[in-house]
Amino acid sequence: MATAPRFWRENPSRYNLVGVECHNCGRHFFPPRSICPVCHRKSVGKMEKVKLKGEGKIFSLTEVQESPEEISMQKPYVLAMVELVEGARVSGQVIDCDACDLEIGTPVRVTLRKLSEEGPSGIIHYGYKFVPLKEKAP
Amino acid sequence: MRRVAVIGIGDTEFGELWDSSFREIGIQAGLIAVADANISADKIDALFVGNMSAGRFIEQEHIGALIADYSGLARDHIPATRVEAAGASGGLALRQGFQAVASGLHDIVVVGGAEKMTDVSDTESSMIQSSAADQEWETVLGATFPALHALIARRHMHQFGTTREQLADVAVKNHKNGSLNPKAQFQREITRETVLSSPVVSSPLRVFDCAPSSDGAAAVVLCPLDQAKKYTDMPIEIAGSGQASDTLSLHDRKDICTMEATRVAAKRAFDMAGISHKDIDVAEVHDNFTISEILAIEDLGFFNKGEGGKATEAGLTALEGQVAVNTSGGLKARGDPIGATGLAQAVEIVTQLRGTAGKRQVKDATIGLAHNVGGTGATVVVHVLRRV
Amino acid sequence: MEVGIVSYGAYVPRYRITPEEIGKVWGVDGKSMSKGLMISCKSVPSPEEDTITISVEAARNMMRRCEVNPKDIGAIYVGSESHPYAVKPSGTIVAEAIEAAPHLTVADFEFACKAGTAAIQTCMGLVGSGMIKYGVAIGADTSQGAPGDALEYSASAGGAAFLIGAEKTIATIDHTYSYTTDTPDFWRREGQMYPRHGGRFTGEPAYFKHVISGAKGLLERTNTTAKDYTYAVFHQPNGKFPTRVAKQLGFADLQLTTGLLAPTIGNTYSGAVPLGLAAILDEAKPGDRIFAVAYGSGAGSDAFAITVTNEIDSYPRHKAPSVKDLNSNLKFLDYATYAKFRGKIMLGSE
């Protein structure tokens, strides 16, 4: 079982979707990386950490019926690939909704939930999940 | 660069091999291959072993030395190297062996691949397979390996109108081929109904869309083509070898319905062989999920993007089709002992090109292809094999 | 310096279960239970929710409604009797999640159902003394009732967060008064999954004595009567107790309705008065006066006299969900699913 630091060091991105922006081309990436895959060497030193807004649309989705043991209590859950407004894509659960109400293109917003816990005495991991964004009435 | 030939092949049965340990399985395939190549142990210059995760499946690392040792080669002190690229470990080991012979560094090289998956629980096995994806930014968030492929499937259905039935047709075809392969894990034909009524794993994918967990090993013996006739009447040339990588996470790909690494690796292999996809008679592609085969047959160029499902439904990938795909039964029916899979593909293609595939023989097979994928496409290895 | 509420945010899980559904399992007449408690359903946290996630939701909703720089927050206190960790603060995760870390003080509070209001008082002191600019006080719980116990019909989940400060307050906290004795009416020992309680002893000598003493103490000290207030909110272990206490103190139903959430949400413990207060702020107008009394077993009460300011008119309440919004989009559970969600089912281990 992993020790606490492996998870802990990623908390800024897990809690607050901290990614990076390449100041050479303006592209956003999540999680942070130190080299832009488009600009290569020109991006070194120009990758700045930014908090992504956490809003986006479902790019693809699936309802997971067979899950890792430590999250089996959450089954079945919806896993989606979310395209954020900044352009980066992330994988995460979509919660507090019925799977049948979701489709490709459904707008979602980030929230924070328990991801998993290391048994009854271990660390509890928290991180991002998504909830469907209710369309505001015009 | 020297031309390289396969002069010997060997594989074990694939399945739940309760009686056999990892090392037993590993050497068994090698012994068959060495016997097939008609060489003695002292001729072997080097050993490469494809293995994804013995460290987690059997808590054993240092697999190169282990296999060399139990192959009785410890006193010969041959170089023995373990190669890892998740699901593409076997294909990549083959490429390492190919490079070693082509470069002139070694003459006779044995390349094996092995995995022992059933010494851990099913859930543990799934977890280990998921480690081919991005543990920190996919798995931790609940993205299991089937779930990631389900995302691809859902998107492919959305974008191209691929149907649930067409996905099922991949499994039906591969089970049919598996029924003709005495070494396949599943030798039973199934119907669309079998697939469509099996339990959902991660929608839209069901149990029968997924390759099983398997124990097994496969091996080939390589030597320079110009020496091959010393050992066999029927050498098969590795005419092209291509490898490509891509982002570890699926979500970082521009287009999740295309495995760019497949296209690039295939182009590299085709260019080296001086052929095009049209020349391929028989292909073993990485169908760890039914959707994976649809992507593969599109990205390898056999069919236009988006038409893989239709082509499968129309029987164009069947034994007598336009290009025979996964004649062994594929990962789906032959089984998928991860590290062994890339070698098992090569063994099947060599068998086809030798014309010894029995009931599943593709008529006049001259050029074949093996397509091996790691993770959701972060590593792809493509080999083109040719009768000489 | 007029210390008060600068912003607030609420959160209630979407899942609900009815007393009828619970009663069905235990051979209890759920309908009369529902009527007796004045609870039509109670909220249930999903397996991926706990006091920390509820606190984060509430705190983020609070931050959505104001322009305050999170780095100006000098203290975060999370009051709860269901902190996920016995040792390791809930508040640190909230602090990181709203980007208030690291230059602040954080602690978790516990005083049964009034830990959240104790947190408000602490923030008032720190802001009032000039030690900090802003403090965050959160009351949140995912309270547990043992299977079959009377508490199971009411113990629910939810919480609210308040940004306490002295500038641009949407409501000033004019006065607070607490009344505390050692009265063991309800407790949970270290390491125990479910609390125990003194049955009818939780009523007169505990809830009623402390709430009424706290309320009267505040009315006397502020020289006010029930009629001076637009709204009143009392700790609500059910719908019945606060209604009775309100009547005894001379408050009318109309003053009570807005902040009375137990009938549709249940007893959110440390979240109860904070959520009631949030529901009131959702509709309050400048000049409205709010009377609030929280109760915590063990036992004590915290009473507050609050006045809504003109700031509320320009305060963007719409930027986060109201308590009414949180009480919609509901999903009702059967007992089996509820038991699974609440970890009441023993699982086989490897």
Side-chain angles (χ1 to χ4, degrees):
Chain A
M1 194 166 279
T3 53
R6 187 185 127 196
F7 211 92
W8 162 82
R9 71 174 67 93
E10 311 296 355
N11 279 351
S13 294
R14 293 258 162 73
Y15 291 177
N16 281 314
L17 277 184
V18 172
V20 284
E21 180 179 354
C22 171
H23 282 296
N24 197 54
C25 69
R27 284 181 177 82
H28 289 79
F29 301 93
F30 181 87
R33 49 174 73 212
S34 50
I35 300 168
C36 170
V38 182
C39 304
H40 302 118
R41 200 158 60 90
K42 283 185 202 150
S43 68
V44 174
K46 292 183 181 169
M47 302 292 275
E48 197 197 356
K49 285 198 176 171
V50 288
K51 181 183 169 182
L52 304 175
K53 283 175 73 180
E55 287 173 14
K57 284 181 176 166
I58 292 177
F59 185 77
S60 190
L61 72 161
T62 174
E63 190 174 31
V64 180
Q65 310 256 355
E66 280 185 24
S67 78
E69 205 155 296
E70 68 268 20
I71 57 170
S72 60
M73 275 296 164
Q74 300 169 23
K75 284 192 307 191
Y77 59 86
V78 174
L79 177 88
M81 188 178 287
V82 174
E83 189 158 80
L84 300 171
V85 287
E86 291 89 352
R89 281 198 219 117
V90 298
S91 301
Q93 288 187 32
V94 184
I95 51 155
D96 287 352
C97 58
D98 296 315
C100 55
D101 294 337
L102 301 173
E103 55 188 18
I104 289 173
T106 301
V108 293
R109 184 169 82 180
V110 79
T111 185
L112 182 125
R113 288 289 188 274
K114 271 198 274 188
L115 294 178
S116 62
E117 41 194 299
E118 297 184 357
S121 63
I123 289 271
I124 306 168
H125 299 307
Y126 296 90
Y128 54 86
K129 295 189 180 183
F130 294 87
V131 289
L133 199 59
K134 266 172 242 131
E135 300 281 6
K136 285 202 180 86
Chain B
M1 205 169 85
R2 300 193 292 182
R3 292 172 75 181
V4 179
V6 179
I7 55 169
I9 55 172
D11 55 2
T12 67
E13 273 179 45
F14 283 8
E16 295 168 322
L17 309 180
W18 305 116
D19 292 339
S20 308
S21 67
F22 175 81
R23 59 188 78 183
E24 286 165 348
I25 298 168
I27 64 160
Q28 200 186 332
L31 281 176
I32 300 168
V34 167
D36 183 50
N38 204 20
I39 55 166
S40 54
D42 61 330
K43 292 265 194 211
I44 300 171
D45 293 321
L47 173 70
F48 291 90
V49 183
N51 171 262
M52 173 178 170
S53 203
R56 291 185 67 186
F57 281 122
I58 59 165
E59 297 178 39
Q60 176 71 59
E61 304 290 11
H62 216 164
I63 296 309
L66 170 74
I67 297 298
D69 181 7
Y70 276 77
S71 302
L73 297 171
R75 291 183 187 191
D76 300 275
H77 307 295
I78 63 159
T81 308
R82 179 252 187 103
V83 179
E84 188 276 318
S89 300
L92 193 55
L94 177 59
R95 187 170 150 86
Q96 300 308 306
F98 167 81
Q99 288 172 343
V101 175
S103 68
L105 189 65
H106 297 303
D107 282 339
I108 304 278
V109 168
V110 177
V111 184
E115 210 78 54
K116 175 77 191 171
M117 298 173 73
T118 59
D119 278 355
V120 295
S121 68
D122 292 349
T123 46
E124 181 66 14
S125 178
S126 303
M127 294 284 287
I128 296 169
Q129 290 175 65
S130 286
S131 69
D134 190 331
Q135 287 288 87
E136 298 297 329
W137 304 104
E138 291 182 324
T139 316
V140 158
L141 286 315
T144 63
F145 208 45
L148 291 167
H149 289 84
L151 293 176
I152 299 175
R154 177 73 188 261
R155 189 76 204 174
H156 202 277
M157 292 162 96
H158 172 79
Q159 226 164 305
F160 303 111
T162 301
T163 66
R164 192 35 276 204
E165 288 73 19
Q166 289 166 349
L167 293 175
D169 289 342
V170 173
V172 171
K173 169 187 68 78
N174 290 349
H175 269 258
K176 186 173 182 195
N177 292 348
S179 74
L180 305 174
N181 180 357
K183 285 191 171 163
Q185 182 163 355
F186 302 122
Q187 301 180 27
R188 185 168 62 86
E189 286 195 52
I190 58 167
T191 62
R192 266 188 180 180
E193 193 44 38
T194 318
V195 183
L196 299 180
S197 62
S198 64
V200 173
V201 174
S202 195
S203 67
L205 300 181
R206 293 168 178 272
V207 167
F208 271 85
D209 289 296
C210 312
S213 282
S214 321
D215 304 325
V220 299
V221 182
L222 308 179
C223 83
L225 182 61
D226 58 14
Q227 297 173 28
K229 287 280 183 188
K230 279 201 287 189
Y231 307 102
T232 176
D233 297 335
M234 187 70 89
I236 302 298
E237 184 188 7
I238 299 181
S241 174
Q243 178 189 349
S245 60
D246 205 337
T247 63
L248 185 64
S249 292
L250 182 67
H251 53 237
D252 284 330
R253 312 261 170 83
K254 252 187 305 192
D255 169 14
I256 66 170
C257 293
T258 299
M259 245 177 231
E260 207 57 49
T262 294
R263 290 165 57 133
V264 173
K267 182 171 188 317
R268 288 171 182 162
F270 291 153
D271 286 353
M272 188 187 287
I275 61 153
S276 88
H277 63 83
K278 294 193 184 94
D279 300 312
I280 304 292
D281 303 307
V282 53
E284 287 284 296
V285 307
H286 201 90
D287 63 322
N288 53 346
F289 298 90
T290 48
I291 183 67
S292 314
E293 178 164 322
I294 298 210
L295 255 61
I297 59 178
E298 294 168 355
D299 297 335
L300 289 167
F302 299 149
F303 304 100
N304 289 335
K305 182 48 64 184
E307 288 174 13
K310 275 181 225 137
T312 305
E313 185 175 25
L316 302 181
T317 54
L319 278 184
E320 295 82 20
Q322 170 191 322
V323 51
V325 175
N326 283 329
T327 54
S328 68
L331 282 63
K332 175 71 201 77
R334 185 199 56 229
D336 182 21
I338 310 173
T341 286
L343 273 309
Q345 292 177 325
V347 167
E348 173 67 10
I349 295 300
V350 170
T351 307
Q352 288 285 349
L353 300 181
R354 283 178 176 178
T356 55
K359 287 183 189 164
R360 63 181 196 284
Q361 180 63 47
V362 175
K363 254 186 235 141
D364 304 323
T366 314
I367 300 180
L369 173 147
H371 163 256
N372 196 197
V373 176
T376 53
T379 297
V380 174
V381 181
V382 172
H383 282 102
V384 172
L385 293 98
R386 180 162 55 193
R387 213 157 66 188
V388 285
Chain C
M1 180 153 31
E2 287 206 299
V3 176
I5 298 164
V6 176
S7 187
Y8 72 98
Y11 182 75
V12 183
R14 76 184 285 235
Y15 300 98
R16 298 286 185 276
I17 190 167
T18 62
E20 284 89 335
E21 178 64 24
I22 297 170
K24 227 163 54 186
V25 175
W26 302 114
V28 169
D29 177 0
K31 212 168 219 143
S32 58
M33 184 68 101
S34 170
K35 208 174 152 202
L37 292 171
M38 285 175 65
I39 288 179
S40 65
C41 63
K42 66 163 194 169
S43 63
V44 181
S46 76
E48 54 214 335
E49 289 181 306
D50 60 17
T51 289
I52 290 175
T53 66
I54 289 172
S55 298
V56 169
E57 286 270 12
R60 283 182 172 169
N61 282 337
M62 170 193 84
M63 294 306 285
R64 282 188 182 108
R65 287 176 168 143
C66 64
E67 305 279 313
V68 168
N69 181 347
K71 301 294 180 209
D72 286 337
I73 293 169
I76 295 179
Y77 298 107
V78 180
S80 179
E81 61 108 81
S82 54
H83 292 289
Y85 289 96
V87 178
K88 197 223 157 287
S90 301
T92 53
I93 296 171
V94 178
E96 293 280 2
I98 62 170
E99 296 177 291
H103 302 292
L104 81 167
T105 179
V106 167
D108 287 357
F109 284 7
E110 187 279 311
F111 194 143
C113 299
K114 77 167 193 73
T117 49
I120 294 179
Q121 290 176 329
T122 309
C123 287
M124 287 171 65
L126 290 174
V127 171
S129 67
M131 277 178 70
I132 61 171
K133 191 170 179 191
Y134 297 106
V136 175
I138 299 173
D141 256 310
T142 56
S143 48
Q144 284 274 30
D149 187 87
L151 285 178
E152 200 181 18
Y153 296 86
S154 57
S156 67
F162 295 89
L163 186 66
I164 306 298
E167 290 171 20
K168 290 186 80 175
T169 52
I170 55 167
T172 54
I173 305 175
D174 311 318
H175 208 97
T176 180
Y177 167 76
S178 293
Y179 179 89
T180 310
T181 73
D182 184 30
T183 308
D185 59 323
F186 168 102
W187 63 92
R188 179 166 65 84
R189 290 277 301 276
E190 182 76 28
Q192 294 296 305
M193 190 168 174
Y194 300 111
R196 289 181 55 182
H197 55 84
R200 294 188 58 78
F201 183 60
T202 60
E204 283 309 330
Y207 177 85
F208 289 101
K209 177 181 158 190
H210 291 80
V211 171
I212 286 172
S213 300
K216 284 189 169 161
L218 185 69
L219 291 172
E220 279 167 21
R221 281 162 178 77
T222 51
N223 203 19
T224 54
T225 67
K227 293 191 173 45
D228 294 320
Y229 294 93
T230 330
Y231 299 99
V233 54
F234 300 97
H235 178 57
Q236 34 200 291
N238 48 52
K240 194 174 65 178
F241 278 24
T243 309
R244 220 173 95 191
V245 100
K247 199 160 279 170
Q248 280 184 40
L249 290 165
F251 288 93
D253 282 355
L254 210 61
Q255 290 165 289
L256 201 63
T257 315
T258 306
L260 188 60
L261 305 171
T264 50
I265 293 176
N267 181 5
T268 51
Y269 285 51
S270 303
V273 161
L275 271 170
L277 194 50
I280 291 167
L281 290 172
D282 280 343
E283 61 167 53
K285 288 186 279 300
D288 283 350
R289 294 178 76 182
I290 305 165
F291 188 78
V293 186
Y295 169 73
S297 289
S301 61
D302 298 332
F304 298 86
I306 297 166
T307 306
V308 178
T309 71
N310 291 333
E311 282 291 334
I312 197 110
D313 280 339
S314 54
Y315 176 74
R317 284 186 274 216
H318 66 276
K319 285 194 174 171
S322 67
V323 174
K324 264 203 187 90
D325 293 337
L326 293 165
N327 218 356
S328 61
N329 184 32
L330 304 182
K331 189 161 173 106
F332 283 83
L333 304 176
D334 56 24
Y335 190 88
T337 310
Y338 160 76
K340 179 185 132 175
F341 275 25
R342 297 306 285 132
K344 290 172 195 263
I345 298 176
M346 288 265 279
L347 299 175
S349 54
E350 286 186 324

